[in-house]
Amino acid sequence: MSIHRPLVAVYPGSFDPITRGHEDIARRCLRLADEVVVAVAHTATQKKNVLFEVDERVELIGQVFADEPRIRCVSFQGLLVDFCRSRGAHLVIRGLRAVSDFEYEFQMAQMNQELSPDVETVFLTPDVHHSFISASLVREVARLGGDVSAFVSPVVLERLQGIYGVAS
């Protein structure tokens, strides 16, 4: 007799802020996994200007996915594979918007495979309507007063309006 263990997927990133593209990937992860942990990294792997502190991002993501009990959000520090091990996760989900994302993501996946062969990386592409959206682009458009309401959930838009007074 075998006992079914839930398949846990980790979807790591900075999510500053979480966009509709991120949401799409996280929700579609549920087709592959029983549970998705959106893991907000304390330390970005690439240099970024931070808009929201890590705790604020975790809170926002929790609100965005309040309707989905199989998606939860936590922050983490250190190596992703160590975090996966601590959560019993054997699947890492990464989103690819464009070919330009692939080289960096591929290198990271190979390094993670070397560090922890029992953790697999799966690449998902966002829905075509979200493929051009990035958190940095949303931050820039919001900072310049543009309407980002189509790119983020209402709770994120409200927070951006509080910072930048963006249009809706």
Side-chain angles (χ1 to χ4, degrees), residues 9 28 64 77 85 87 110 120-121 134 145 150 154 157:
R28 287 179 35 238
V64 166
Q77 295 186 48
R85 195 173 297 118
R87 296 290 171 155
Q110 286 187 313
E120 294 293 339
T121 300
S134 70
L157 180 63

Side-chain angles (χ1 to χ4, degrees), residues 4-9 29-30 32-36 70-71:
H4 173 73
R5 288 183 305 153
L7 179 60
V8 178
C29 284
L30 292 173
L32 305 172
D34 301 305
E35 178 184 334
V36 175
R70 296 183 301 151
I71 298 177

